[in-house]
Structure formats: C-alpha cells, structure tokens
Amino acid sequence: MNERLRKILEDSYVNPLEEVDYPPTAISCGYNFSVPISIGTYGNFSFVQAPPKSKKTFFLTLISAAYMGANSKYIGDLEGQRGKKKLIHYDTEQGTFHAQKTFRRVFSMCDNVTSYFTYALREYSPYDRLQFINWHLSTIDNVGLGVIDGIADLLNDVNNIVEANELTQHLMTWTQNYDIHLITAIHSNYNSDKPTGHLGSFLEKKAETQIMLEPNEEGYVVAKCKRSRGFSFEDFCFRIDKEGLPYVSKDVPESINDVEYVRL
C-alpha cells in the first residue's frame, strides 16, 4: 500500500467505542450552568461576517484582548482559556501604520501582554500571504489562537470554487495539525446575511461558529451567533470608547432583533 495512504489509514481511524474528550475551549462568552459557552475550541475555526466598515477588526480586537486576559471592563463575558499559549495575529488589509494601531489596542486593554505576535501582510500577493502563514504556523510552537483579518485576501477570487475549497481545507488542516483555534473575518454580501462568494459558503459549512455583526443606529454593533456546533452565546453589543478601544456594552438596545440560531 502507498505509504501516504497507509498513514492516512492509521491517523484517520476513530474507534466508535472509545471515549473521546470534548475539545477544550479557547475562547468563550458566558456560561451554560457552570460550563463556558464556547465561541471556539482548540482544533477548530470560526469566522465573523459583516458588511464593509462594520467594525469587524474591532471585534477581532475584542477576541484577541479577551484571549490575552484583558480588563473585564472591556470584554464583558468574553473569556480566553489561554494558559501559556501564544496568539498570532495576521492583518492582510491594512498598512503598517493602521495595523500597528489595531495591534496596540490589545496592549491598551490588558494589564500585561506576553506571547502576542503580530504581522501586517498587505503588501504581499494572496499567494505569498497564504504560503507565509502556512510556513509560519509550522515554525512556531505552543500557538493557541490565530487571527486572520481577513481571509479573502489569501486568494485571488472568492468565487473561484477551487481556490475557496483549497483555502478552507488549509484552515481545517492548520487547526487540526497544530491544535489551535483560528478566527477570521469575511464580508457579507450586499443586503444579505450570506458571507461573500464560494469562500463564504465553504466557511459556513466547515466552521465551528459563525458570528454575524450588525451595526445599530444607536452607535452599537450587535454580535450574534448565527450558527454553532455547540450552544449559541447570547447576543451582545459593543461600541468604541473615547480612546478608540472596543468594549462590550451592558446596555442592550431594544432594537436588537432575534436571530434564528442553527445548531450544526
């Protein structure tokens, strides 16, 4: 037998009678009884979708800061289960100046930040961005959470079914091989709650959690759990303070609409 196929045979076998532990939580939001409601577990990936300029990057800052143990006045019920693991943050959209502003917010929201590694990849081609992340994750140990802002910049066309499928497969391979959680961001289609292109469709099918952001006329952004493989976290709102830092708001606008939750 081909050695590669033999290895797949050995590595992929699952004993139906063997007890397998639920994957540990990387980032959570609230509790169901005494159990954290997971946004993301190690070995899986999640994504956030929103229209352009709807504070997706600020939301990823909240997730990053929560993972690094930010002051509770910013993160509300968000909680990171980091231990001593590292956070890797890739920004594919912004130049060095704006990317640094994004990364620096995490330091402003936390009392002490260690093991937070940040990279701005805007100047590179989609192919080079993808190859860099693929290589980089193989060289750095003890990574717990990876942030990719945004995923569409790792391919040439979100509507290319082959590219979209291959990129989604990369996410599944990285999370499995390195036992990390990855969270990324993608735009929503215009006047729709669907993420963009074939890439968005593949992400919907394979992600552990799908998060939707909805800007609110009262100055809030509402974060909703659109789909989850586990319990859905409750809707929450965040806004930006005078220092340009995101924070979870305790005041929930009455205009928040219920969303139909889908458990995969």
Side-chain angles (χ1 to χ4, degrees):
M1 181 185 292
N2 182 291
E3 287 304 314
R4 177 172 170 274
L5 297 181
R6 186 184 300 278
K7 188 173 189 315
I8 292 175
L9 174 68
E10 295 173 354
D11 293 347
S12 65
Y13 176 71
V14 177
N15 184 346
L17 302 179
E18 182 181 355
E19 184 174 347
V20 178
D21 294 333
Y22 193 82
T25 295
I27 189 82
S28 63
C29 183
Y31 285 81
N32 179 38
F33 296 101
S34 59
V35 179
I37 299 174
S38 179
I39 291 179
T41 58
Y42 292 111
N44 287 294
F45 78 90
S46 58
F47 74 98
V48 55
Q49 63 169 95
K53 308 305 179 187
S54 296
K55 305 292 190 294
K56 293 188 297 297
T57 294
F58 280 101
F59 180 81
L60 293 178
T61 297
L62 272 176
I63 294 294
S64 299
Y67 192 71
M68 300 305 296
N71 190 304
S72 60
K73 71 178 182 180
Y74 295 109
I75 60 174
D77 290 333
L78 293 171
E79 184 177 357
Q81 314 292 334
R82 182 172 76 95
K84 296 183 179 179
K85 293 181 180 291
K86 301 169 183 173
L87 193 163
I88 311 297
H89 195 152
Y90 305 105
D91 189 303
T92 67
E93 299 179 342
Q94 303 180 107
T96 302
F97 175 82
H98 289 99
Q100 187 194 52
K101 284 186 65 176
T102 296
F103 302 145
R104 187 176 289 174
R105 293 184 188 117
V106 175
F107 287 81
S108 299
M109 297 164 70
C110 301
D111 295 328
N112 183 34
V113 177
T114 59
S115 301
Y116 177 47
F117 299 90
T118 54
Y119 303 88
L121 303 177
R122 178 181 179 176
E123 65 182 282
Y124 305 102
S125 69
Y127 176 83
D128 284 342
R129 294 180 193 124
L130 177 59
Q131 293 304 308
F132 171 76
I133 294 173
N134 188 49
W135 167 81
H136 187 235
L137 288 175
S138 72
T139 65
I140 187 165
D141 62 352
N142 202 32
V143 177
L145 180 66
V147 176
I148 302 175
D149 185 9
I151 192 68
D153 293 319
L154 302 188
L155 44 61
N156 290 295
D157 181 2
V158 295
N159 283 308
N160 184 306
I161 195 167
V162 174
E163 277 194 296
N165 186 38
E166 289 179 348
L167 178 52
T168 305
Q169 183 59 52
H170 273 294
L171 295 177
M172 293 191 291
T173 299
W174 292 335
T175 51
Q176 174 75 21
N177 287 353
Y178 305 123
D179 194 29
I180 62 177
H181 188 81
L182 284 173
I183 184 166
T184 189
I186 189 171
H187 288 153
S188 297
N189 287 326
Y190 181 71
N191 280 343
S192 169
D193 66 353
K194 296 284 291 181
T196 303
H198 284 306
L199 177 59
S201 297
F202 279 118
L203 294 179
E204 281 191 314
K205 294 174 184 176
K206 304 300 184 182
E208 178 180 24
T209 306
Q210 178 179 355
I211 302 163
M212 186 166 59
L213 302 184
E214 294 184 353
N216 185 275
E217 293 179 356
E218 300 176 42
Y220 297 83
V221 179
V222 183
K224 298 183 175 183
C225 182
K226 187 178 180 185
R227 288 180 174 86
S228 176
R229 296 190 186 277
F231 288 100
S232 300
F233 62 82
E234 292 186 1
D235 298 357
F236 66 89
C237 298
F238 70 93
R239 61 188 312 168
I240 313 303
D241 69 13
K242 295 178 181 179
E243 304 299 321
L245 301 176
Y247 68 95
V248 175
S249 176
K250 296 180 181 179
D251 299 322
V252 180
E254 294 180 359
S255 55
I256 290 183
N257 297 317
D258 292 333
V259 67
E260 180 181 354
Y261 297 118
V262 179
R263 185 163 300 163
L264 304 180

